[in-house]
Amino acid sequence: MNLLQPPPHFFPPPFKPHYRPLSTPPRASLSSTPTVTSHPGAVIVGGGLSGLAAATHLSSLSVPFLLLDSSDSVGGRVRTDRLDSFLLDRGFQIFLTSLPELRRLLHFPSLSLQPFYPGALVFHSGEFHLLSDPFRFPLRSLSSLLNPIGSFADKLLVAFHRLRAAITPDDLLLSNSETSVYDHLVSLGFSHSMIDRFLRPFFAGIFFDKDLSTTSRLFDLVFKQLALGDNALPAAGIASIPLQIADRLPQSSIRLNTRVVAVDPVTSAPASVTLENGDIITADLGVIVAVDQPEAKRLLPQAFPSEPGDKIKRPPRSTTCLYFSADRAAIKDPILILNGSGKGIVNNMFFVTNVAPSYAPKGKVLVSVSLVGAFLDRSDEDLTAEVVRELGEWFGDGEVSEWKHLRTYRIGFAQPNQTPPTDPIGRDPRVDDGVYMCGDHWSWATFDGALVAGRRAAEAMVRDRKISAV
């Protein structure tokens, strides 16, 4: 089925993926005699995007640092696994090319970015309906004006809000008065049909939040970035983002397979971290904690004052992603497919190799299916069977029954819960004497939010220690 006719220049040239993995020392074992060592610079806990951004800023000033990560590679939640020549991103993740901090830190041509079609296919009432970006494909947008995915007024409203968001500065979007995404959409005038059939599954796939209770500030920011750039995948997987940043850092300053179990602020000595094996590393300049929110709460509970009912009001944003191998793609276009039917557990899916052929061996198709939530009450086998049955109604039982299940990722903490009230630009990275915090939970839940938070933490440390560029 080929619903679109992209222009000849739509696809970038072929790209052969390559990797430059960082050296990985064996995990340290418990030491009977813990040692105390001193580091002349900063210690960064966590090698995700935030930690790498902090390290990049310090490195640009020739400030020594030691980055510690408990995993076998950098990236945090932004990781890609290789399975039988398939590239499997850990959960549904896309690269927004307009994000300013990404543009500042990355060399885009080296990533060989493969774009999605600017729009979506919506499955509703047993059929697929195309919605296109009205500014990039105006003629195709005209053909969708009368489809059942929202009204004519809804589609004009999408175009108007897209234009308004595109010309509004990021700081203003992130400091506007806020409400939930759902209430924001209603206040903007969108019909329930448009919300439930298109906007809900689309943004639930981004925020992992079917109730659309996320802050309207984040919605406006993401809506702007969708308007200004492309959705894309790096040809060598989403992990190409952190790997490219890490490749520019001194490899001797990155220590993997090293878990930090405690962070101690400045008392009579420099701030320090305690490792899983009992060893202690003191940091002359301070410690930057750049781990995800659950781990940050474990290491620095004093930075997260609890509120009554907080766990009920702010459950973690979780997702489940299933990958399948197929011999052919039921849809031939590089487009995101949304469940606008209001039924079933599938939120969105796409044929990955339509976007980036390098994600699968030659002659094979990679299918990605995303659900909102971790579905911990169901086994992988039961979940896979339900997804296959559901997608059989979309594409035909005979088509989907031939797919081979490759792997299921259940990501309990995929994103911080950013239900209002939020303070994405006003949070001080200084959380204790000589200790700094960063991460997307300390700013806003995008790649850029994580990167900006890391840079701000490093900048705060530099200001506090009165460091100037060498």
Side-chain angles (χ1 to χ4, degrees), residues 84-220:
D84 298 331
S85 297
F86 289 93
L87 299 180
L88 308 180
D89 294 335
R90 295 187 183 179
F92 173 61
Q93 303 183 61
I94 56 176
F95 187 110
L96 298 178
T97 62
S98 58
L99 291 172
E101 202 76 4
L102 281 178
R103 299 184 71 86
R104 193 178 74 84
L105 285 180
L106 295 172
H107 182 250
F108 280 21
S110 299
L111 296 173
S112 187
L113 295 172
Q114 314 285 289
F116 284 77
Y117 178 82
L121 279 181
V122 180
F123 181 76
H124 173 69
S125 297
E127 296 180 345
F128 292 102
H129 305 278
L130 175 64
L131 293 178
S132 298
D133 185 319
F135 291 92
R136 302 188 202 188
F137 294 102
L139 294 179
R140 290 178 195 157
S141 296
L142 287 175
S143 67
S144 68
L145 287 177
L146 298 179
N147 70 29
I149 311 303
S151 66
F152 178 79
D154 284 319
K155 283 138 190 175
L156 293 180
L157 198 55
V158 167
F160 172 76
H161 189 61
R162 177 193 185 281
L163 184 60
R164 186 177 68 172
I167 62 175
T168 305
D170 288 1
D171 286 353
L172 183 57
L173 293 175
L174 289 169
S175 59
N176 278 335
S177 60
E178 65 178 336
T179 183
S180 70
V181 171
Y182 179 81
D183 288 342
H184 186 47
L185 294 174
V186 172
S187 70
L188 290 174
F190 287 106
S191 70
H192 292 293
S193 167
M194 188 66 168
I195 293 173
D196 292 337
R197 296 174 188 177
F198 171 60
L199 294 168
R200 187 186 301 278
F202 187 86
F203 285 97
I206 295 175
F207 303 137
F208 308 121
D209 170 24
K210 278 198 169 182
D211 294 332
L212 300 183
S213 60
T214 298
T215 171
S216 55
R217 292 170 173 171
L218 188 55
F219 167 84
D220 285 336

Side-chain angles (χ1 to χ4, degrees), residues 216-232:
S216 55
R217 292 170 173 171
L218 188 55
F219 167 84
D220 285 336
L221 182 69
V222 171
F223 203 88
K224 172 182 178 176
Q225 303 308 330
L226 291 167
L228 293 179
D230 290 321
N231 305 338

Side-chain angles (χ1 to χ4, degrees), residues 183-436:
D183 288 342
H184 186 47
L185 294 174
V186 172
S187 70
L188 290 174
F190 287 106
S191 70
H192 292 293
S193 167
M194 188 66 168
I195 293 173
D196 292 337
R197 296 174 188 177
F198 171 60
L199 294 168
R200 187 186 301 278
F202 187 86
F203 285 97
I206 295 175
F207 303 137
F208 308 121
D209 170 24
K210 278 198 169 182
D211 294 332
L212 300 183
S213 60
T214 298
T215 171
S216 55
R217 292 170 173 171
L218 188 55
F219 167 84
D220 285 336
L221 182 69
V222 171
F223 203 88
K224 172 182 178 176
Q225 303 308 330
L226 291 167
L228 293 179
D230 290 321
N231 305 338
L233 292 175
I238 204 70
S240 302
I241 300 170
L243 287 175
Q244 187 185 106
I245 299 172
D247 280 347
R248 299 172 184 165
L249 299 172
Q251 299 302 289
S252 60
S253 297
I254 299 176
R255 188 185 300 178
L256 302 175
N257 290 324
T258 304
R259 185 168 185 260
V260 172
V261 296
V263 176
D264 297 308
V266 174
T267 52
S268 58
S272 66
V273 299
T274 302
L275 307 184
E276 192 173 35
N277 66 354
D279 291 347
I280 296 173
I281 302 174
T282 63
D284 288 354
L285 296 181
V287 176
I288 296 176
V289 177
V291 294
D292 64 21
Q293 189 176 46
E295 183 69 359
K297 286 184 175 181
R298 187 187 68 79
L299 291 173
L300 293 171
Q302 67 271 27
F304 298 89
S306 60
E307 299 176 3
D310 189 54
K311 289 184 179 179
I312 298 174
K313 290 188 295 183
R314 294 178 179 264
R317 300 301 188 202
S318 57
T319 183
T320 302
C321 181
L322 296 88
Y323 285 105
F324 298 87
S325 166
D327 292 330
R328 61 184 177 274
I331 300 289
K332 303 299 182 183
D333 306 291
I335 193 167
L336 187 65
I337 306 171
L338 306 174
N339 183 1
S341 70
K343 300 182 294 184
I345 61 173
V346 173
N347 185 76
N348 58 276
M349 58 88 62
F350 71 112
F351 295 91
V352 184
T353 36
N354 289 352
V355 180
S358 51
Y359 269 64
K362 187 175 181 180
K364 290 293 182 181
V365 169
L366 179 63
V367 185
S368 170
V369 182
S370 294
L371 322 178
V372 176
F375 292 87
L376 298 178
D377 59 334
R378 307 188 203 185
S379 68
D380 282 359
E381 293 75 14
D382 289 344
L383 203 59
T384 301
E386 187 167 352
V387 166
V388 168
R389 284 194 299 271
E390 188 172 327
L391 292 181
E393 298 176 7
W394 295 25
F395 304 113
D397 292 333
E399 180 84 25
V400 179
S401 64
E402 298 297 318
W403 295 358
K404 176 186 175 183
H405 177 247
L406 295 175
R407 184 170 290 180
T408 296
Y409 289 94
R410 298 172 189 260
I411 304 171
F413 182 83
Q415 219 178 78
N417 185 318
Q418 297 202 324
T419 300
T422 65
D423 186 15
I425 59 177
R427 304 192 78 172
D428 191 343
R430 303 169 184 84
V431 295
D432 215 325
D433 196 4
V435 179
Y436 304 81

